Amino acid sequence: TKLVFRSTRNGGHKKYKNLYMMDAEIGEDGGEAERITEGDWIDTHCQWSPDRDWIVFSSNRDKPADAPERDHGMDPGYFAVYLMNAIDRSVVRVIRSGYDFSGHVNHPVFSPDGRSIVVTADLAAVSADPMSLPLLLHSQRPYGDIFTVDIDPDDMEKNQDVEEFARVTHSRYENATPDWTVFSTHDPHAQWNLLVMEENYTPSCPYAHHDGGESWHMTGQMCIPKRVC
């Protein structure tokens, strides 16, 4: 019954972003949004845990005091991932960014069982100079690759600055918001496994136009055009 979201509503002229909570049934027509973080920083990419006890989010609240507001006109980074207790509002940092090159650890998403978090991050740097890639207004720098980290689902304090994580992708392009499947890929009866078990069977991609001239194939759990494989 509660929504958590980021907003610049009290961010001043610098548009700082903090997190707010709202009754999903009443909304702002019959109630007010409760501010649950407050500071001159950016809190973003928030999501409820499956058991609704915690909130995971990304923030640059721990950036160094001498960090520049902008780096050559771009976002300077220093984003890390945090967990918040939805009841007492205590916060722990789970994965920090690299302070030596102003890292990004963003887009955290809980696994369905609440035991892991997937993020998009430049923990392994990037495989190409960001300035040689297209400069987009909504995303000045590539976040890098997708990583997962296992967490303790019962004791939030045990998740302070977790050091072990798994790298999932190796790419020189930006990987954006990740997500989880809701079924086990090891289940022989799972939908995707049923689709790829038959030899020489290529399932159609729901995003491919039948007259677009593209040839698509299945890799893992994503449909991608063959010409960019």
Side-chain angles (χ1 to χ4, degrees), residues 26 28-29 115 119 129 167 180 192 198 206 216:
I26 299 176
E28 287 191 296
D29 290 336
R115 296 179 178 274
V119 299
D129 183 351
R167 185 177 181 180
W180 296 84
W192 285 109
E198 296 184 28
W216 294 74

PDB file of all heavy atoms in Angstrom, residues 26 28-29 115 119 129 167 180 192 198 206 216:
ATOM      1  N   ILE A  26      -4.376   6.356  -1.423  1.00  0.00           N
ATOM      2  CA  ILE A  26      -4.892   7.717  -1.239  1.00  0.00           C
ATOM      3  C   ILE A  26      -4.231   8.695  -2.194  1.00  0.00           C
ATOM      4  O   ILE A  26      -4.881   9.549  -2.781  1.00  0.00           O
ATOM      5  CB  ILE A  26      -4.676   8.184   0.223  1.00  0.00           C
ATOM      6  CG1 ILE A  26      -5.434   7.265   1.184  1.00  0.00           C
ATOM      7  CG2 ILE A  26      -5.116   9.625   0.398  1.00  0.00           C
ATOM      8  CD1 ILE A  26      -5.206   7.595   2.636  1.00  0.00           C
ATOM      9  N   GLU A  28      -1.660  11.821  -3.385  1.00  0.00           N
ATOM     10  CA  GLU A  28      -1.499  13.184  -2.884  1.00  0.00           C
ATOM     11  C   GLU A  28      -2.815  13.955  -2.840  1.00  0.00           C
ATOM     12  O   GLU A  28      -2.872  15.044  -2.286  1.00  0.00           O
ATOM     13  CB  GLU A  28      -0.478  13.936  -3.730  1.00  0.00           C
ATOM     14  CG  GLU A  28       0.947  13.481  -3.495  1.00  0.00           C
ATOM     15  CD  GLU A  28       1.971  14.393  -4.136  1.00  0.00           C
ATOM     16  OE1 GLU A  28       1.973  14.487  -5.379  1.00  0.00           O
ATOM     17  OE2 GLU A  28       2.765  14.999  -3.405  1.00  0.00           O
ATOM     18  N   ASP A  29      -3.859  13.392  -3.431  1.00  0.00           N
ATOM     19  CA  ASP A  29      -5.158  14.064  -3.363  1.00  0.00           C
ATOM     20  C   ASP A  29      -5.726  14.035  -1.944  1.00  0.00           C
ATOM     21  O   ASP A  29      -6.398  14.975  -1.513  1.00  0.00           O
ATOM     22  CB  ASP A  29      -6.152  13.403  -4.326  1.00  0.00           C
ATOM     23  CG  ASP A  29      -5.796  13.680  -5.777  1.00  0.00           C
ATOM     24  OD1 ASP A  29      -5.110  14.690  -6.021  1.00  0.00           O
ATOM     25  OD2 ASP A  29      -6.190  12.887  -6.638  1.00  0.00           O
ATOM     26  N   ARG A 115      17.665 -12.276  -1.478  1.00  0.00           N
ATOM     27  CA  ARG A 115      19.001 -12.655  -1.029  1.00  0.00           C
ATOM     28  C   ARG A 115      20.115 -12.091  -1.890  1.00  0.00           C
ATOM     29  O   ARG A 115      21.293 -12.295  -1.589  1.00  0.00           O
ATOM     30  CB  ARG A 115      19.114 -14.185  -0.977  1.00  0.00           C
ATOM     31  CG  ARG A 115      18.186 -14.823   0.045  1.00  0.00           C
ATOM     32  CD  ARG A 115      18.315 -16.334   0.052  1.00  0.00           C
ATOM     33  NE  ARG A 115      17.446 -16.934   1.061  1.00  0.00           N
ATOM     34  CZ  ARG A 115      17.792 -17.099   2.332  1.00  0.00           C
ATOM     35  NH1 ARG A 115      18.997 -16.734   2.743  1.00  0.00           N
ATOM     36  NH2 ARG A 115      16.955 -17.636   3.191  1.00  0.00           N
ATOM     37  N   VAL A 119      23.108  -4.875  -9.824  1.00  0.00           N
ATOM     38  CA  VAL A 119      23.377  -3.463 -10.073  1.00  0.00           C
ATOM     39  C   VAL A 119      24.042  -3.319 -11.434  1.00  0.00           C
ATOM     40  O   VAL A 119      24.576  -4.275 -11.992  1.00  0.00           O
ATOM     41  CB  VAL A 119      24.301  -2.845  -8.997  1.00  0.00           C
ATOM     42  CG1 VAL A 119      23.667  -2.935  -7.618  1.00  0.00           C
ATOM     43  CG2 VAL A 119      25.676  -3.505  -9.001  1.00  0.00           C
ATOM     44  N   ASP A 129      36.934   4.239 -23.871  1.00  0.00           N
ATOM     45  CA  ASP A 129      36.945   5.602 -23.347  1.00  0.00           C
ATOM     46  C   ASP A 129      35.547   6.179 -23.471  1.00  0.00           C
ATOM     47  O   ASP A 129      35.006   6.253 -24.572  1.00  0.00           O
ATOM     48  CB  ASP A 129      37.926   6.447 -24.146  1.00  0.00           C
ATOM     49  CG  ASP A 129      38.051   7.872 -23.626  1.00  0.00           C
ATOM     50  OD1 ASP A 129      37.240   8.256 -22.753  1.00  0.00           O
ATOM     51  OD2 ASP A 129      38.940   8.600 -24.088  1.00  0.00           O
ATOM     52  N   ARG A 167      30.554 -10.595 -11.416  1.00  0.00           N
ATOM     53  CA  ARG A 167      30.379  -9.841 -12.656  1.00  0.00           C
ATOM     54  C   ARG A 167      29.613 -10.702 -13.652  1.00  0.00           C
ATOM     55  O   ARG A 167      29.999 -11.830 -13.943  1.00  0.00           O
ATOM     56  CB  ARG A 167      31.738  -9.452 -13.227  1.00  0.00           C
ATOM     57  CG  ARG A 167      31.661  -8.571 -14.458  1.00  0.00           C
ATOM     58  CD  ARG A 167      33.061  -8.165 -14.911  1.00  0.00           C
ATOM     59  NE  ARG A 167      33.004  -7.297 -16.077  1.00  0.00           N
ATOM     60  CZ  ARG A 167      34.101  -6.796 -16.673  1.00  0.00           C
ATOM     61  NH1 ARG A 167      35.298  -7.074 -16.189  1.00  0.00           N
ATOM     62  NH2 ARG A 167      33.984  -6.017 -17.729  1.00  0.00           N
ATOM     63  N   TRP A 180      15.147  -9.249 -12.764  1.00  0.00           N
ATOM     64  CA  TRP A 180      15.253 -10.676 -12.512  1.00  0.00           C
ATOM     65  C   TRP A 180      14.085 -11.425 -13.144  1.00  0.00           C
ATOM     66  O   TRP A 180      12.987 -10.890 -13.256  1.00  0.00           O
ATOM     67  CB  TRP A 180      15.225 -10.964 -11.006  1.00  0.00           C
ATOM     68  CG  TRP A 180      16.375 -10.415 -10.242  1.00  0.00           C
ATOM     69  CD1 TRP A 180      16.497  -9.141  -9.751  1.00  0.00           C
ATOM     70  CD2 TRP A 180      17.578 -11.088  -9.869  1.00  0.00           C
ATOM     71  NE1 TRP A 180      17.686  -8.998  -9.093  1.00  0.00           N
ATOM     72  CE2 TRP A 180      18.373 -10.169  -9.149  1.00  0.00           C
ATOM     73  CE3 TRP A 180      18.042 -12.397 -10.056  1.00  0.00           C
ATOM     74  CZ2 TRP A 180      19.610 -10.502  -8.623  1.00  0.00           C
ATOM     75  CZ3 TRP A 180      19.285 -12.730  -9.541  1.00  0.00           C
ATOM     76  CH2 TRP A 180      20.053 -11.793  -8.834  1.00  0.00           C
ATOM     77  N   TRP A 192      11.293 -20.671 -20.582  1.00  0.00           N
ATOM     78  CA  TRP A 192      12.401 -20.438 -21.508  1.00  0.00           C
ATOM     79  C   TRP A 192      13.104 -21.740 -21.870  1.00  0.00           C
ATOM     80  O   TRP A 192      13.505 -21.944 -23.013  1.00  0.00           O
ATOM     81  CB  TRP A 192      13.398 -19.460 -20.888  1.00  0.00           C
ATOM     82  CG  TRP A 192      12.922 -18.049 -20.902  1.00  0.00           C
ATOM     83  CD1 TRP A 192      12.519 -17.312 -19.838  1.00  0.00           C
ATOM     84  CD2 TRP A 192      12.760 -17.212 -22.053  1.00  0.00           C
ATOM     85  NE1 TRP A 192      12.117 -16.061 -20.242  1.00  0.00           N
ATOM     86  CE2 TRP A 192      12.263 -15.970 -21.585  1.00  0.00           C
ATOM     87  CE3 TRP A 192      12.981 -17.386 -23.412  1.00  0.00           C
ATOM     88  CZ2 TRP A 192      11.988 -14.910 -22.451  1.00  0.00           C
ATOM     89  CZ3 TRP A 192      12.711 -16.323 -24.265  1.00  0.00           C
ATOM     90  CH2 TRP A 192      12.221 -15.110 -23.791  1.00  0.00           C
ATOM     91  N   GLU A 198      14.246 -27.840 -27.908  1.00  0.00           N
ATOM     92  CA  GLU A 198      14.147 -28.513 -29.193  1.00  0.00           C
ATOM     93  C   GLU A 198      15.275 -28.067 -30.113  1.00  0.00           C
ATOM     94  O   GLU A 198      15.570 -26.893 -30.244  1.00  0.00           O
ATOM     95  CB  GLU A 198      12.794 -28.201 -29.842  1.00  0.00           C
ATOM     96  CG  GLU A 198      11.605 -28.725 -29.055  1.00  0.00           C
ATOM     97  CD  GLU A 198      10.300 -28.479 -29.793  1.00  0.00           C
ATOM     98  OE1 GLU A 198      10.337 -28.426 -31.033  1.00  0.00           O
ATOM     99  OE2 GLU A 198       9.269 -28.344 -29.136  1.00  0.00           O
ATOM    100  N   PRO A 206       9.278 -11.027 -29.642  1.00  0.00           N
ATOM    101  CA  PRO A 206       8.086 -10.178 -29.660  1.00  0.00           C
ATOM    102  C   PRO A 206       8.373  -8.747 -30.080  1.00  0.00           C
ATOM    103  O   PRO A 206       7.469  -8.004 -30.399  1.00  0.00           O
ATOM    104  CB  PRO A 206       7.583 -10.238 -28.210  1.00  0.00           C
ATOM    105  CG  PRO A 206       8.796 -10.580 -27.412  1.00  0.00           C
ATOM    106  CD  PRO A 206       9.603 -11.485 -28.285  1.00  0.00           C
ATOM    107  N   TRP A 216      16.598 -12.715 -35.946  1.00  0.00           N
ATOM    108  CA  TRP A 216      16.762 -12.751 -34.492  1.00  0.00           C
ATOM    109  C   TRP A 216      16.991 -14.166 -34.011  1.00  0.00           C
ATOM    110  O   TRP A 216      16.566 -15.140 -34.618  1.00  0.00           O
ATOM    111  CB  TRP A 216      15.504 -12.198 -33.814  1.00  0.00           C
ATOM    112  CG  TRP A 216      15.273 -10.750 -34.088  1.00  0.00           C
ATOM    113  CD1 TRP A 216      14.826 -10.196 -35.245  1.00  0.00           C
ATOM    114  CD2 TRP A 216      15.478  -9.676 -33.190  1.00  0.00           C
ATOM    115  NE1 TRP A 216      14.748  -8.841 -35.120  1.00  0.00           N
ATOM    116  CE2 TRP A 216      15.130  -8.488 -33.874  1.00  0.00           C
ATOM    117  CE3 TRP A 216      15.918  -9.595 -31.863  1.00  0.00           C
ATOM    118  CZ2 TRP A 216      15.214  -7.251 -33.285  1.00  0.00           C
ATOM    119  CZ3 TRP A 216      15.987  -8.350 -31.280  1.00  0.00           C
ATOM    120  CH2 TRP A 216      15.638  -7.190 -31.985  1.00  0.00           C
TER     121      TRP A 216
END
